[in-house]
Amino acid sequence: MSATATAFAAPVPPSTALSKLRILDLTRVRAGPTCCRIFADFGADVIKIEAPDGVDPNETMSGARDGYDMLNLHRNKRSLTLNLKRKEGLELFLKLVETADVVVENYRPDVKSRLGIDYEALKARNPRIILASISGFGQDGPYVGRAGFDQIAQGMGGLMWLTGLPGQGPVRAGVATADSTAGLYAATGILVALRERDTSGEGQWVQTSLLQAQIALCDFQAARYLVDGVVPEQAGNDHPYSTPMGVVETADGFINLAVGGDGQWRDLCRAIQRSDLVDHPDYATQPERLAHRAEVWALLTPIFASDTSANWLQRLEEVGVPAGPIYRMDEVFEDEQVRHLGIARTVPHPRLGEVTLVGQPIGLSRTPAAVVSPLSDKGADGADILAEIGLDAARIADLKAGGVL
């Protein structure tokens, strides 16, 4: 660690919540790393297993190792290089499986079988092992051979025709919704499997996909079609059925206004000093406001344009109408509530100095998550990890010289 790093405050102690778990992380890009990061932040021994340099033709897909994305996704993990295409590398991996609780992978579905690390192979070495597989479209079916990426899943899962202004054409979300959600669902499945293993003593195969996760994330919009047969359309910044709920321009910017019920409509009328609108037959009830949505916004637009965002937010808060600012990312982390929540977590890095990352959005009263270390250099922890399964320094050196590590 550099002199700069050692000058920082004492490191945060790791979480002990999942300290008895060992996770073998074969993942890359985003969905799988998102899953494994949860376990790492809550204290599990997560071993990030990567191919040695030059073995994986797509090794640069995840970006620079010291880049913001890799640092944020892979903190708190130990790093080991293994060439799983070599017999010795595969055997070392299976030896690690004997000591592990969970293996997480997001290869294309057929890769596991070709490498010899499918669920049946892992189960033969450790009946308690849980394999979590994240794919683009599922582990079987007509699309099983397709490559899956977040934006493809956003399109196929319905999100892109829900996002954007009416008539605009499909619009992707500004973040990787399918990837991140698939990672979260995989972590949920793993936790369920771990709890069930306490009863049965057996592991199992947990599966999710970007496509499933994206559809599930659409939630009420998907249910709207399945239950009522309604195909939701793009609504821009308007809520599908509550009005006025959306973005409104002020004298110096924009705010979100969220009037969800008739009582809040009355409170809004008080805030804008328009008591005549309270019982107006076209606006007094939610169904009527929805039917006259364009008129409602036409009434409100010039009113909100007459004062600043800060003044409107204060007035709306005073009467209990939900509203909020619309921040750029720099403003997000300057907000006093965001600072109070402490979701930005700082960790020392040996080359970059102090690095601030996005913490877990989950609070536990006794064993909270912690960001304690940055992403290790590739393979930096290999000697320690392999020593834990009985390899001595000479054997490790031979394997490294032979291209296995």
Side-chain angles (χ1 to χ4, degrees), residues 177-194:
T177 56
D179 269 338
S180 297
T181 306
L184 294 172
Y185 280 126
T188 302
I190 291 167
L191 291 169
V192 172
L194 286 167

Side-chain angles (χ1 to χ4, degrees), residues 77-88:
K77 301 177 183 179
R78 297 197 289 169
S79 176
L80 168 68
T81 53
L82 275 183
N83 186 347
L84 297 178
K85 297 177 181 179
R86 297 278 297 273
K87 180 181 178 180
E88 302 96 324

Side-chain angles (χ1 to χ4, degrees), residues 339-403:
R339 286 179 172 274
H340 171 77
L341 292 170
I343 196 168
R345 299 297 180 93
T346 300
V347 65
H349 188 280
R351 288 179 296 279
L352 303 178
E354 197 169 44
V355 177
T356 303
L357 306 172
V358 184
Q360 289 292 338
I362 307 166
L364 273 70
S365 61
R366 290 189 297 103
T367 57
V371 180
V372 298
S373 63
L375 170 62
S376 296
D377 288 342
K378 191 172 185 179
D381 307 294
D384 290 341
I385 294 167
L386 295 176
E388 292 166 7
I389 58 170
L391 275 70
D392 60 25
R395 179 60 176 152
I396 292 170
D398 288 343
L399 290 168
K400 186 170 294 188

Side-chain angles (χ1 to χ4, degrees), residues 193-242:
L194 286 167
R195 184 64 185 91
E196 191 280 336
R197 192 179 71 177
D198 290 341
T199 302
S200 68
E202 298 181 21
Q204 56 185 307
W205 188 11
V206 175
Q207 305 169 35
T208 191
S209 68
L210 306 191
L211 181 58
Q212 290 168 289
Q214 182 59 78
I215 295 169
L217 186 63
C218 286
D219 196 39
F220 73 91
Q221 293 283 39
R224 190 177 177 192
Y225 167 70
L226 292 174
V227 176
D228 292 343
V230 174
V231 178
E233 300 291 342
Q234 290 169 305
N237 290 313
D238 283 330
H239 190 277
Y241 52 81
S242 290

Side-chain angles (χ1 to χ4, degrees), residues 8 18 40 95 110 155 182 221 257 301 326 341 349:
F8 298 149
L18 301 178
K95 186 72 173 174
D110 64 317
Q221 293 283 39
L257 177 67
T301 297
I326 300 175
L341 292 170
H349 188 280

Side-chain angles (χ1 to χ4, degrees), residues 277-329:
L277 299 177
V278 171
D279 296 317
H280 192 291
D282 291 344
Y283 316 133
T285 66
Q286 177 57 36
E288 288 301 324
R289 289 194 299 278
L290 183 61
H292 297 88
R293 171 179 277 170
E295 295 173 26
V296 172
W297 282 119
L299 284 166
L300 296 178
T301 297
I303 294 173
F304 277 88
S306 68
D307 207 347
T308 65
S309 296
N311 286 342
W312 277 119
L313 292 171
Q314 181 178 348
R315 289 165 67 177
L316 293 168
E317 184 175 357
E318 288 172 353
V319 298
V321 173
I326 300 175
Y327 289 147
R328 294 181 182 271
M329 197 55 68

Side-chain angles (χ1 to χ4, degrees), residues 26-331:
L26 294 171
T27 70
R28 61 185 181 183
V29 189
R30 186 168 315 283
T34 296
C35 170
C36 294
R37 178 176 60 189
I38 295 170
F39 292 92
D41 286 0
F42 281 102
D45 178 19
V46 178
I47 301 174
K48 177 174 171 54
I49 299 174
E50 307 170 77
D53 288 342
V55 172
D56 181 359
N58 297 309
E59 63 186 358
T60 60
M61 185 183 297
S62 299
R65 195 170 192 88
D66 284 349
Y68 64 90
D69 207 17
M70 287 284 282
L71 291 173
N72 197 52
L73 283 168
H74 295 288
R75 75 278 185 113
N76 291 345
K77 301 177 183 179
R78 297 197 289 169
S79 176
L80 168 68
T81 53
L82 275 183
N83 186 347
L84 297 178
K85 297 177 181 179
R86 297 278 297 273
K87 180 181 178 180
E88 302 96 324
L90 175 59
E91 181 55 34
L92 286 173
F93 175 75
L94 293 175
K95 186 72 173 174
L96 282 169
V97 168
E98 295 174 6
T99 72
D101 296 282
V102 182
V103 174
V104 186
E105 59 87 16
N106 59 353
Y107 299 127
R108 289 197 196 190
D110 64 317
V111 171
K112 292 185 295 299
S113 297
R114 287 195 281 109
L115 289 175
I117 58 171
D118 55 26
Y119 177 60
E120 292 303 319
L122 303 186
K123 181 181 177 182
R125 298 295 286 259
N126 179 358
R128 292 174 57 81
I129 198 70
I130 292 162
L131 172 64
S133 296
I134 306 170
S135 61
F137 305 100
Q139 295 297 310
D140 48 33
Y143 300 163
V144 67
R146 292 189 184 182
F149 285 92
D150 176 82
Q151 187 161 336
I152 295 171
Q154 286 193 32
M156 293 180 66
L159 182 68
M160 290 178 68
W161 272 121
L162 296 172
T163 306
L165 300 171
Q168 182 177 8
V171 177
R172 69 180 293 275
V175 294
T177 56
D179 269 338
S180 297
T181 306
L184 294 172
Y185 280 126
T188 302
I190 291 167
L191 291 169
V192 172
L194 286 167
R195 184 64 185 91
E196 191 280 336
R197 192 179 71 177
D198 290 341
T199 302
S200 68
E202 298 181 21
Q204 56 185 307
W205 188 11
V206 175
Q207 305 169 35
T208 191
S209 68
L210 306 191
L211 181 58
Q212 290 168 289
Q214 182 59 78
I215 295 169
L217 186 63
C218 286
D219 196 39
F220 73 91
Q221 293 283 39
R224 190 177 177 192
Y225 167 70
L226 292 174
V227 176
D228 292 343
V230 174
V231 178
E233 300 291 342
Q234 290 169 305
N237 290 313
D238 283 330
H239 190 277
Y241 52 81
S242 290
T243 299
M245 187 175 292
V247 176
V248 61
E249 189 168 3
T250 67
D252 62 351
F254 300 87
I255 63 172
N256 272 315
L257 177 67
V259 176
D262 297 341
Q264 290 176 352
W265 169 253
R266 292 190 288 272
D267 293 334
L268 174 65
C269 293
R270 183 154 51 97
I272 64 175
Q273 298 180 337
R274 288 294 303 269
S275 59
D276 57 303
L277 299 177
V278 171
D279 296 317
H280 192 291
D282 291 344
Y283 316 133
T285 66
Q286 177 57 36
E288 288 301 324
R289 289 194 299 278
L290 183 61
H292 297 88
R293 171 179 277 170
E295 295 173 26
V296 172
W297 282 119
L299 284 166
L300 296 178
T301 297
I303 294 173
F304 277 88
S306 68
D307 207 347
T308 65
S309 296
N311 286 342
W312 277 119
L313 292 171
Q314 181 178 348
R315 289 165 67 177
L316 293 168
E317 184 175 357
E318 288 172 353
V319 298
V321 173
I326 300 175
Y327 289 147
R328 294 181 182 271
M329 197 55 68
D330 57 340
E331 297 171 304

